[in-house]
Amino acid sequence: RLVVGYALTKKKVKSFLQPKLLLLARKKGISFIPIDETRPLSEQGPFDIILHKKTSKEWQRFLEDYHEVHPEVTVLDPPNAIEHLNNRQSMLEEVADLNLSSFYEEVCTPRQLVIMKDPSSIPTAVAMAGLTLPLVAKPLVVDGTSKSHELSLAYDEASLPMLDPPLVLQEFVNHGGILFKVYIIGEAIQVVRRFSLPDVNTYDLLNNVGIYRLPRVSCAAASADHADLDPRIAELPPRPLLEKLGRELRGRLGLRLFNIDMIRELGANDRYYIIDINYFPGVD
């Protein structure tokens, strides 16, 4: 019998601990036990695995202290490793350092710029960094709230001071409006297609001004797996590339439960961009 203690938000409990999963777990001899965060972990359990998605410093210390005393318990995943993904500046650093020449595919990250404060300085900072409009603006901190996944698209320089730091600005890359969500659970990899932002052409740049606030992009409701798509856009990234990417990032990030948001540059079938990495994503 395997005992999994879990510390999850109400939203994550509802989406993750589905009746089908719990039934399958029982058949496999796996029990899911909620963790009471008001009591010491040492008074609960015993646990074989602790599965969690909490971001508070207090919880991190709570868990790290427990793991020092009980190193035999598997923690999915270590708080210090998860923390790396809570900041979009550090999130993609490991990807930028990768050398993933696999056959002919190239994996990189969009050029980006971090703005900590003073919105009025954004146009100058963008010009000095040599970034090309349009730019995707994302909150710097990823804290599990829906706000941390909100995006804005800035079409013109004059509108940039309307943005709200701290944030990350990424160059927009045309990608056929399709994003690949690559789920990594241990050594298992699953890929799904999601509708994403539409491509931006010269006409759009000349005729659009301002900041466009966007609802959450690429959520489960935006599935494109059964859509009638151009095969060149719909084709999944090569399996050997994904396996190598998963292996490298597992080692570098120290994580076993995460997903990668990945796009293929339109007209460049061998160039992929990683634009986000999320810990313990929705695995519906």
Side-chain angles (χ1 to χ4, degrees):
R1 185 167 175 264
L2 196 72
V3 179
V4 180
Y6 65 87
L8 306 171
T9 61
K10 288 181 180 178
K11 181 182 175 184
K12 180 60 77 174
V13 169
K14 186 177 178 182
S15 66
F16 178 66
L17 293 176
Q18 294 282 327
K20 272 187 178 181
L21 174 64
L22 294 175
L23 179 61
L24 178 63
R26 278 197 298 272
K27 288 180 179 176
K28 301 284 186 181
I30 301 169
S31 299
F32 284 93
I33 308 295
I35 289 173
D36 182 350
E37 294 168 59
T38 65
R39 292 171 50 214
L41 272 174
S42 55
E43 295 177 6
Q44 303 178 63
F47 303 114
D48 298 294
I49 295 171
I50 292 180
L51 181 68
H52 70 107
K53 191 172 186 180
K54 295 282 184 176
T55 55
S56 73
K57 295 289 184 185
E58 186 181 14
W59 166 255
Q60 289 184 20
R61 286 194 299 272
F62 194 42
L63 190 53
E64 284 166 352
D65 291 347
Y66 174 80
H67 199 233
E68 276 188 26
V69 180
H70 297 278
E72 74 283 358
V73 177
T74 299
V75 175
L76 289 176
D77 271 307
N80 60 338
I82 298 170
E83 202 168 11
H84 203 67
L85 300 189
N86 291 342
N87 180 300
R88 284 195 165 95
Q89 182 176 15
S90 61
M91 177 191 291
L92 299 180
E93 285 175 352
E94 296 294 349
V95 179
D97 291 341
L98 288 177
N99 178 18
L100 280 176
S101 50
S102 168
F103 301 107
Y104 53 86
E105 297 91 4
E106 178 187 349
V107 176
C108 48
T109 58
R111 293 202 303 161
Q112 68 177 34
L113 175 67
V114 175
I115 305 291
M116 296 303 296
K117 52 187 176 181
D118 188 10
S120 64
S121 70
I122 298 177
T124 302
V126 165
M128 289 181 66
L131 297 188
T132 304
L133 292 159
L135 296 172
V136 179
K138 303 178 179 181
L140 178 64
V141 176
V142 183
D143 59 7
T145 63
S146 57
K147 186 174 176 59
S148 67
H149 292 284
E150 289 177 358
L151 306 181
S152 299
L153 193 60
Y155 277 99
D156 65 301
E157 185 181 311
S159 302
L160 293 175
M162 296 164 58
L163 294 169
D164 186 21
L167 53 80
V168 171
L169 294 173
Q170 288 182 346
E171 281 189 332
F172 183 81
V173 177
N174 280 337
H175 53 283
I178 294 295
L179 176 144
F180 304 106
K181 292 194 87 71
V182 183
Y183 295 94
I184 297 171
I185 305 176
E187 294 185 3
I189 296 175
Q190 179 74 26
V191 191
V192 298
R193 299 177 193 85
R194 296 276 170 85
F195 286 112
S196 177
L197 301 179
D199 293 334
V200 176
N201 56 34
T202 306
Y203 178 86
D204 296 325
L205 282 173
L206 292 174
N207 290 276
N208 286 307
V209 293
I211 303 294
Y212 287 74
R213 311 284 176 187
L214 303 164
R216 186 162 183 175
V217 177
S218 79
C219 61
S223 174
D225 276 334
H226 302 294
D228 185 16
L229 301 170
D230 182 331
R232 290 168 298 179
I233 292 173
E235 183 184 2
L236 296 177
R239 193 76 191 180
L241 177 65
L242 294 179
E243 289 173 354
K244 187 171 183 181
L245 183 61
R247 191 164 55 246
E248 290 282 343
L249 286 179
R250 275 200 312 272
R252 284 171 174 263
L253 298 173
L255 296 172
R256 287 163 287 183
L257 187 58
F258 62 101
N259 98 289
I260 302 163
D261 286 351
M262 193 172 182
I263 58 175
R264 180 196 295 115
E265 185 174 354
L266 189 68
N269 285 342
D270 59 348
R271 188 177 300 121
Y272 296 88
Y273 289 84
I274 292 178
I275 56 175
D276 246 332
I277 305 176
N278 303 292
Y279 173 66
F280 198 169
V283 288
D284 44 298

